[in-house]
Amino acid sequence: MTPRHDPRLKAFASDNYAGVHPEILQAIAAANGGHQIAYGEDVYTEAMQGVFKKHFGEQAEAWPVFNGTAANVVSLRSMTSHWEAVICAESAHINTDEGGAPEVAGGIKLLTVPTPDGKLTPELIDRQAWGFGDVHRAQPRVVSVSNTTELGTLYTADELAAICSHAHDLGLLVHLDGSRLTNAAAALDVPLRALTTDVGVDVLSFGGTKIGLLYGEAVVVLNPSAANGIDYIRKTFMQLSSKMRFVSAQFEALLSGDLWLRNARRANAMGRRLADAVSGIPGVSLSRPVEANAVFAVLPRDVTERLAKRFRFYTWNEATGEVRWMCAFDTTEADVDAFAAALAEEMRSTHP
C-alpha cells in the first residue's frame, strides 16, 4: 500500500503525532500468528506483568487500556467512592483536555487549584483538602499530579515525596498521570520507580502512545490497598481489549530493555535543541522553562498563523499568543533546524 502522506514531514504539535517505533512494530508482528487466550490470559500479558514489576516493584500490577483518558478515569474511579473527589492542578490534563470524562463518565468531582507552573505543593493541596465529614461537600480522597506536567515542568523525587507524605498524612491517596513519565525520568536521570513507587505514589497511569507505541496505556497499581474493582471498572468503561496480547507485547518491548529511555532521551534532547535554536531569533520569547520535550513560546499572531501552515503546532493561549511545540522520539536534528529556520524566516518577513 502506498502511503497517503509524506513520511518525511514532521510536526511539532504533539508527540502523539509520531508513528510507531520499529522495535514496537516488530514486537506486534512477533505476537501475531496462532491463537492466544483472549482478554489478557495470554503469555504476552503475563510477560508484561514481569517487566512492570521489574521497574516498579513486585507489588505492582498493570492493567492495559486503550488510551490515556481511560487510564486516568479507570485509575481514579478505582480509588474513589461516588461521594469522593480528586484534588488536581487547574491545568491538569484530567481537568482541561479530557472532555470532562472524569466527571461525565467517571462521576468523579475534581477540586482544582491554580498553580503558576502546573505543579502542586503540600500548601496548594491544603486549599482543597478541607471539609472532611461535611455532608454538603464532595469528600477529598485523591491527589492527582502529572509528571511531566501539562506546562512541561518536572516534579523531582523530593517534591513528589513531600506531596505523597502530606497527602497520606491527611488520609488521601496519590495518583500520578504519567503519560510522559518516561520523559521525566530521562530528564532527571533516575529510574521510573524513583518517581513513583519509592516516593509513595499509590496508582499510576503509565503512558505508552507518546513514547513509541501504536496504542495503549496502562493503569499500574503500586499500592494494592489503594484501588478496588479494576477488573470490573475496566470492562464497564469499555477498555478491556479482547486481543490484549498486542497491547502487552508493546509494553514488554518498550520496558524490557532501554527502548523507553532511548526514546525519551531523544525527545528531550530535541526539545532542548529546539529551545536553543529559537531563543536567539529576534522577537521570539520562550515563556516557560524547558525541562523535557515541551517548548513554550510567545509569537506574533500573524507569524503563528503562517508558521502553523508549514509545521503544525498548537496555540496554547490565544490571549497572550503563547504556543506549544512538542518533540517526539522520532524528531531529528534536521527537523528541529528546519523548523527554526522557517520560524526565523517568518519573523523576518513581518517583523524585520
Side-chain angles (χ1 to χ4, degrees):
M1 177 179 174
T2 302
R4 295 184 180 275
H5 73 292
D6 185 347
R8 298 169 299 177
L9 296 180
K10 301 290 180 62
F12 289 84
S14 172
D15 30 11
N16 280 323
Y17 279 39
V20 184
H21 193 280
E23 293 178 37
I24 299 296
L25 285 175
Q26 291 172 7
I28 295 171
N32 198 25
H35 286 202
Q36 278 286 298
I37 303 174
Y39 301 111
E41 295 184 51
D42 58 90
V43 296
Y44 297 94
T45 300
E46 181 181 2
M48 177 208 68
Q49 294 293 348
V51 297
F52 272 102
K53 290 180 185 298
K54 180 186 75 172
H55 285 285
F56 297 104
E58 284 299 314
Q59 82 295 336
E61 188 167 7
W63 308 82
V65 295
F66 291 115
N67 56 51
T69 296
N72 285 334
V73 175
V74 171
S75 294
L76 296 174
R77 180 71 280 161
S78 74
M79 301 172 76
T80 56
S81 296
H82 286 290
W83 57 88
E84 293 176 328
V86 174
I87 299 171
C88 65
E90 192 174 66
S91 59
H93 199 274
I94 57 174
N95 185 52
T96 62
D97 286 294
E98 294 184 343
E103 294 176 315
V104 174
I108 303 161
K109 174 66 176 176
L110 300 180
L111 303 172
T112 64
V113 182
T115 69
D117 55 3
K119 295 164 63 173
L120 290 177
T121 63
E123 293 73 23
L124 289 174
I125 289 168
D126 285 344
R127 294 188 182 182
Q128 289 286 13
W130 56 273
F132 297 103
D134 181 353
V135 72
H136 299 285
R137 176 171 166 80
Q139 294 295 285
R141 178 56 176 159
V142 176
V143 173
S144 181
V145 296
S146 305
N147 207 13
T148 62
T149 73
E150 286 66 35
L151 302 183
T153 48
L154 298 174
Y155 285 97
T156 65
D158 287 345
E159 288 172 328
L160 289 170
I163 287 172
C164 291
S165 176
H166 187 68
H168 292 158
D169 285 347
L170 293 171
L172 307 177
L173 301 172
V174 178
H175 164 260
L176 192 147
D177 180 347
S179 66
R180 296 188 177 97
L181 177 63
T182 52
N183 297 95
L188 295 167
D189 195 26
V190 297
L192 294 168
R193 67 174 294 148
L195 300 175
T196 52
T197 309
D198 292 349
V199 295
V201 170
D202 295 295
V203 179
L204 162 70
S205 298
F206 185 81
T209 310
K210 293 179 174 65
I211 203 66
L213 270 60
L214 172 63
Y215 71 100
E217 318 285 302
V219 175
V220 187
V221 177
L222 305 175
N223 173 9
S225 66
N228 296 296
I230 290 184
D231 268 346
Y232 305 101
I233 295 169
R234 182 173 60 169
K235 177 64 175 180
T236 57
F237 281 43
M238 298 168 283
Q239 292 296 315
L240 180 63
S241 173
S242 58
K243 298 185 179 181
M244 196 179 297
R245 59 170 151 161
F246 299 109
V247 188
S248 301
Q250 295 179 78
F251 279 116
E252 184 183 5
L254 182 72
L255 295 171
S256 61
D258 67 346
L259 179 58
W260 70 272
L261 185 58
R262 285 185 278 128
N263 284 357
R265 282 177 172 168
R266 158 63 64 168
N268 291 353
M270 292 304 98
R272 172 45 56 192
R273 184 183 182 94
L274 177 58
D276 291 343
V278 304
S279 60
I281 299 175
V284 176
S285 173
L286 296 182
S287 52
R288 302 183 190 275
V290 179
E291 299 183 352
N293 62 326
V295 180
F296 291 82
V298 175
L299 302 180
R301 189 177 302 275
D302 58 329
V303 171
T304 295
E305 292 175 353
R306 293 196 306 272
L307 185 62
K309 293 177 181 178
R310 301 171 65 175
F311 295 88
R312 187 175 174 87
F313 59 89
Y314 293 121
T315 297
W316 192 257
N317 188 323
E318 291 283 355
T320 64
E322 185 178 37
V323 299
R324 186 194 73 170
W325 302 317
M326 295 297 303
C327 294
F329 73 89
D330 63 347
T331 304
T332 67
E333 288 87 350
D335 297 330
V336 170
D337 295 346
F339 180 82
L343 173 57
E345 178 185 325
E346 295 295 350
M347 289 296 298
R348 288 194 301 269
S349 67
T350 308
H351 303 269

